[in-house]
Amino acid sequence: MVSISTAKLEQYRQHFPYLENAAYFNYGGQGPMPRSALDAINQAQESLQKMGPFSSAVNVWMGEEAKQTRVAIAAELNISAETMTLTEDVTVGCNIALWGIDWNAGDHLLLTDCEHPGIVAAAYEIQRRFKIEVSMCPLKATLNEGDPVAVITEHLRPQTRLVVLSHILWNTGQVLPLAAIVSACQTYPSHQPVRILVDAAQSVGVLPLNLTELGADFYAFTGHKWWCGPAGVGGLYVRLEARESLSPTFIGWRSITTNSSGTPTGWQPDGRRYEIATSAVPLYAGLRDAIALQSTYGTIAERYQQVCDRSADLWQRLSAVPTVKCLRSTPPEAGLVSFQLDNGKHSSLVQALENKGIFLRTILDPDCVRACVHYFTTESEMNRLVEAIKEF
């Protein structure tokens, strides 16, 4: 267990204006931004306006801002910056991968039963347009027993082109053994390579990650959740071996190369080929600042251990409340603690607690309440939450 200095924790939390009065448990939805990230965005916006905002100087500046952001993200994920595509959020990254595959009628796309509705809806629209087959495998039931690798393998088919799953399941908080799943998919006797698309909404900023070693083909994430960056900046990692089989779907001037007369001649040779056009570039500075701030607290391994320690603490406290049932039978492996009330009044609880300055959320499937614990969540916050649940 990581030893937590109360003084260090309180000093660090001073960076986040929103946390002064709130007991916050919604990092899996959106993290509060540090004051320095807000300042970085404002300074970048001022720089942009002073240079142009449409000028040769600002074009060079925007290119450098994007480059620095790809490099900063790549360093966190242990990947090459050329494999990084800047996006707006997780869903955009997932859609780039979903729609960039050259689908044929009869192809098979495998989802888990714990994916976000936005991704499920996109899969069904691809099914409608291209006459592919979409099926789901039951990973929800493996939360406390069972083998996710075996379940996924059992649902693969010779026609499977893509498996879509989350590294950390957004509803139950289960951490999937991604490397083992990737290995099982890559060795499956399919008609063509089985690609793996990972929804990383709940893993980036929490887990120590080396995407090069994990081997997934596509890894989509955002900066506004556990990294506590600004909403509107995310990313997509595309493994080099998968890039040439993934065509751009949404196309703009950032995606392409041109000749001297401006005629398109091809795609950018790296992750930029999936970027489109104008973005809110000042947000990039905010994300870089948010990432850099987290590194001042400790290494990613130390921060992850603290997330696990804090979530285990909350899980234990909630498990001791007679009217509460945690979905997991053992302490969580990351920062999501999902639980149910005997009376089933989950929406009423969330609203009642919000009125008291305590923020968490409901999940529809399974019907539960989700609390998100970060490495800088305090004991006093957890005390407030548990006592408020008891009172409710």
Side-chain angles (χ1 to χ4, degrees), residues 79-94:
I79 56 175
S80 166
E82 70 169 318
T83 62
M84 259 299 306
T85 296
L86 294 176
T87 66
E88 286 71 41
D89 49 52
V90 178
T91 306
V92 169
C94 286

Side-chain angles (χ1 to χ4, degrees), residues 62 65-66 69 86 233 254 279-289:
M62 288 192 296
E65 285 290 297
T69 305
L86 294 176
V233 185
R254 284 166 67 178
S279 295
V281 175
L283 298 180
Y284 296 168
L287 177 57
R288 295 198 307 273
D289 181 274

